[in-house]
């Protein structure tokens, strides 16, 4: 379907004149778009169709043939405890990371926007984790949160709390990973909030002041927060998508341990597909993953649309 | 007026602003602490890490010894070179393919344009993990696994770049294009010599974005690369951490510092572009 774009189609010349003020051979547009269309089909559209097709088969890498299974892979997943655990853990991670990274980012953005100097310094400081190599920093975090020698535990003990074995305790491993996730995401969200805050017209604050609202929190709840509504929704959905894709920290730090408490969807899919080469089930998991991401993306698209009319 | 308040006034600081600074400095300290700890551990002997207390400065300063150990144990410079090659290759192809496509979408009428744009928007939502299996199988069958090409292939197309540049090109005045055309410039020349230079800031923002994403990517290299000589930084870091059975934290942190540094330096120089890029993705 998309390939038909490459073939030049005859079309009325006035369409070209309307836009360009000159007669341009329509084939130029196709030549300009052709490399991207080729890549779009070869590295995106076709693979998606193939992954959906493979999810209905018992294909294994290296096997000579494959047979059509219908929905068997999906039915098997429905009975698979590891799969459900990975879904649950991913959802749990998302539920921890999203409020943490959004509320902190909002707080930081409001505080920074109220400053008369030093704004750039704070922006850079909080944004630095976004650009950091997560694998390297995950290794740092592993020792920061280490049960015996980690500075975080030194602090906890100093404050009179018991030391915690973050990566050894099934109840603490997801919160520990979430701390790293929040740390990496908060600066990104903060920048989005600062942009949203900059877009709020100053005369709305003046109007609020005329109405007798001169305390910061009054202004925050009557002016800032309602006008930041669309930005907040957008940041929440974007963060959910990011959190749902958690992989790196699990692959490096925990590999699902302890006792499967940190199995997440992408890690389990990765093991199934690229370690055990059971392509069929891995493809089925990928399709489910894509489905969840698409739902979140549609939500995001609707928010962007709403903002245009806002 | 008390003297302290007066002094603050002269600095342009109200007490409220001073309190804000205090809160933000504390938060910045917490966020930057992992970087501090990484560098600290990289310049002290590893047994200090195991000592019961916490010290802000190394009790024994070992300089670059840990880094030398790390470089002896793993080809860290090779990993960085791989990262540079992969990032550069990806970025060049992304720009060469996305810019003309974005220009066509922004300035030409052609049949299928709306479909192409819709597919671009769709592509924005699809993470690399979705086409990964078929791409891996295709690379396996063509014998192209474990190569620079395999590392770059899924990222040659950047739908994000197409989307971003389309927005930018759309606001380029048609009158200038028209005038250039009357002067006898070809469409190719108009695009690369007139329109693209005007989009400099957006291209810079995208470049920082792209380099960051691919320097830091672990998922795809983990899948397609098996030989150490081809590992980009995150994968190299993973090999290194795995082989470091002696728990040599000093060397590990020196390696982490080295592999993180180039990107940090790029970011510090280009942070305006980067932050602009984030803003363009979301709010605008």
């Amino acid at each position: 379907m998309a390939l038909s774009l490459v073939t030049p189609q005859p079309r009325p010349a006035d369409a070209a004149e309307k836009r360009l003020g000159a007669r341009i051979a329509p084939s130029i547009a196709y030549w300009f778009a052709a490399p991207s269309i080729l890549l779009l089909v070869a590295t995106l559209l076709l693979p998606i169709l193939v992954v959906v097709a493979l999810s209905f088969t018992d294909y294994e890498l290296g096997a000579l043939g494959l047979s059509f299974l219908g929905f068997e892979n999906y039915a098997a997943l429905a009975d698979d405890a590891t799969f459900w655990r990975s879904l649950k853990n991913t959802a749990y991670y998302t539920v921890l990371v999203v409020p943490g990274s959004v509320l902190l980012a909002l707080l930081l953005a409001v505080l920074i926007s109220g400053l008369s100097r030093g704004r750039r310094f704070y922006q850079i400081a909080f944004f630095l984790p976004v650009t950091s190599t997560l694998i390297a920093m995950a290794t740092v975090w592993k020792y920061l949160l280490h049960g015996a020698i980690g500075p975080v535990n030194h602090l906890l003990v100093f404050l009179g709390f018991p030391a915690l074995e973050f990566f050894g305790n099934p109840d603490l491993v997801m919160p520990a990973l979430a701390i790293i996730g929040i740390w990496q995401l908060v600066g990104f969200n903060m920048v989005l909030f600062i942009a949203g805050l900059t877009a709020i017209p100053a005369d709305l604050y003046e109007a609020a002041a005329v109405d007798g609202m001169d305390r910061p929190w009054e202004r925050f709840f009557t002016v800032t927060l309602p006008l930041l509504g669309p930005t907040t929704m957008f940041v929440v959905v974007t963060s959910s998508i990011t959190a749902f894709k958690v992989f790196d920290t699990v692959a490096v730090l925990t590999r699902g341990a302890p006792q499967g408490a940190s199995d997440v969807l992408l890690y389990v899919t990765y093991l199934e597909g690229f370690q055990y080469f059971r392509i069929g089930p891995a493809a089925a998991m990928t399709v489910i993953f894509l489905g969840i991401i698409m739902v979140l993306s549609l939500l995001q698209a609707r928010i962007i649309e709403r903002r245009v009319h806002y | 007026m008390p003297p302290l308040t007066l002094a603050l006034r002269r600095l342009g600081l109200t007490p409220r602003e001073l309190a804000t600074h205090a809160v933000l400095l504390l938060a910045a300290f917490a966020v930057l602490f992992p970087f501090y700890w990484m560098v600290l551990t990289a310049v002290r002997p590893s047994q200090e890490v195991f000592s019961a207390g916490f010290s802000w400065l190394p009790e024994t300063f070992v300089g670059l010894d840990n880094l030398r150990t790390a470089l002896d144990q793993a080809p860290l410079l090779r990993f960085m070179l791989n990262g540079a090659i992969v990032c550069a290759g990806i970025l060049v192809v992304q720009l060469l393919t996305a810019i003309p496509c974005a220009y066509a979408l922004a300035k030409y009428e052609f049949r299928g344009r709306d479909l192409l744009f819709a597919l671009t928007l769709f592509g924005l939502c699809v993470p690399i993990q979705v086409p990964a299996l078929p791409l891996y199988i295709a690379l396996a069958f063509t014998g192209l696994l474990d190569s620079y090409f395999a590392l770059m292939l899924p990222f040659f197309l950047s739908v994000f770049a197409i989307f971003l540049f389309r927005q930018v090109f759309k606001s380029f005045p048609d009158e200038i294009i028209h005038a250039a055309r009357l002067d006898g410039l070809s469409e190719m020349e108009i695009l690369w010599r007139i329109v693209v230079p005007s989009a400099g800031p957006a291209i810079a923002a995208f470049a920082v974005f792209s380099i960051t994403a691919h320097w830091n990517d672990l998922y795809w290299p983990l899948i397609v690369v098996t030989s150490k000589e081809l590992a980009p930084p995150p994968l190299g870091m993973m090999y290194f951490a795995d082989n470091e059975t002696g728990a040599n934290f000093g060397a590990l942190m020196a390696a982490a510092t080295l592999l993180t540094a180039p990107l940090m330096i790029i970011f510090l120089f280009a942070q305006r572009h980067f932050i602009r890029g984030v803003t363009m993705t979301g709010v605008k």
Side-chain angles (χ1 to χ4, degrees), chain B residues 66-232:
Chain B
N66 284 325
L67 186 62
R68 257 177 242 124
T69 314
L71 286 168
D72 280 345
Q73 282 173 354
L76 296 178
L77 297 176
R78 177 82 215 187
F79 298 153
M80 291 167 73
L81 177 69
N82 292 338
I85 291 171
V86 170
C87 287
I90 290 173
L91 181 63
V92 167
V93 178
Q94 281 178 335
L95 291 177
L96 286 178
T97 55
I99 286 175
C101 181
Y103 184 68
L105 282 172
K107 293 293 185 193
Y108 293 148
E109 302 267 357
F110 60 95
R111 187 176 293 215
R113 189 182 65 171
D114 293 343
L115 175 65
L116 181 57
F117 187 57
L119 289 174
T120 305
L121 293 180
F122 167 73
L124 280 175
C125 318
V126 181
I128 163 71
Q129 288 85 2
V130 176
L133 271 174
L135 289 176
Y136 176 82
I137 296 170
L139 288 166
F141 270 99
T142 46
L144 290 169
L145 281 176
D146 207 22
S147 66
Y148 285 126
F149 178 78
L151 280 169
M152 297 187 239
L153 174 71
F155 310 107
F156 281 150
L157 174 81
S158 170
V159 281
F160 172 57
I162 297 176
F163 178 74
L164 183 67
F165 295 147
R166 174 191 171 267
Q167 305 298 95
V168 175
F169 292 157
K170 252 184 131 49
S171 61
F172 190 88
D174 285 339
E175 294 75 29
I176 297 180
I177 298 174
H178 183 58
R181 211 169 270 145
L182 290 178
D183 284 347
L185 265 69
S186 74
E187 296 300 304
M188 221 30 157
E189 285 171 323
I190 293 173
L191 172 59
W192 291 103
R193 286 173 46 190
I194 296 173
V195 180
V196 166
S198 80
I203 293 173
F206 172 74
V208 181
F209 228 80
S210 166
I211 292 170
T212 310
H214 301 301
W215 182 274
N216 291 336
D217 183 35
L218 172 74
Y219 186 83
W220 186 247
L222 187 60
I223 289 168
V224 292
V225 169
T226 42
S227 48
K228 216 174 178 181
E229 298 75 53
L230 286 172

Side-chain angles (χ1 to χ4, degrees), chain A residues 36 116 120 122 133 143 154 183, chain B residues 17 21 31 52 216 249 271:
Chain A
S36 287
S116 54
R120 186 153 287 276
Y122 291 116
T133 308
Y143 297 109
H154 286 320
W183 174 80
Chain B
E17 203 156 312
H21 275 296
V31 166
N216 291 336
F249 293 133
Q271 31 91 11

Side-chain angles (χ1 to χ4, degrees), chain A residues 79-116:
Chain A
D79 289 333
D80 183 0
T82 308
F83 171 72
W84 282 111
R85 191 171 56 224
S86 75
L87 261 188
K88 211 187 81 194
N89 288 338
T90 313
Y92 180 37
Y93 178 86
T94 308
V95 165
L96 289 174
V97 166
V98 172
S101 65
V102 173
L103 293 177
L104 268 176
L106 179 61
L107 178 71
L108 291 176
V110 169
L111 289 180
I112 290 174
S113 298
L115 291 177
S116 54

